[in-house]
Amino acid sequence: MPRLHMVFDLDDTLYPERQFAVSGFRACERWLEQRHGVGGIVDDMTQLLDSGHMRSLFEITLENAIGPYDEAEITAFIDVYRLH
């Protein structure tokens, strides 16, 4: 018998989506500082979010912070955000 799965979209339900995003940006900054010694990205990420670049925000940020990166690096960076 197939299992029943339920998915809830909780954006702006438990806390404002923007608050989650900025918190995730801070987690990304801590990860980037530990891994590459680079900090100060929260404001840049927030500005990209505010200007409508959510889809490419992580790629732009990582490119600006460390230069060229591979697929594993961007995947890890995004995972930090998603799982924080």
Side-chain angles (χ1 to χ4, degrees):
M1 177 187 291
R3 294 179 130 190
L4 176 65
H5 297 276
M6 297 182 83
V7 177
F8 295 94
D9 180 0
L10 298 176
D11 292 350
D12 291 326
T13 302
L14 300 176
Y15 43 81
E17 185 175 4
R18 181 179 177 75
Q19 181 182 346
F20 173 83
V22 173
S23 176
F25 299 162
R26 287 189 195 104
C28 287
E29 182 175 67
R30 286 189 299 274
W31 178 87
L32 198 61
E33 285 175 342
Q34 291 173 353
R35 191 163 179 140
H36 294 285
V38 176
I41 63 167
V42 173
D43 289 340
D44 294 338
M45 293 180 86
T46 303
Q47 288 175 353
L48 287 166
L49 174 68
D50 290 343
S51 61
H53 288 92
M54 188 58 185
R55 186 175 242 7
S56 58
L57 182 146
F58 297 96
E59 291 85 355
I60 292 169
T61 301
L62 201 54
E63 178 75 26
N64 289 343
I66 67 168
Y69 57 85
D70 61 24
E71 192 65 31
E73 194 80 5
I74 191 65
T75 299
F77 192 55
I78 292 171
D79 284 347
V80 168
Y81 174 82
R82 288 182 177 158
L83 300 175
H84 87 282

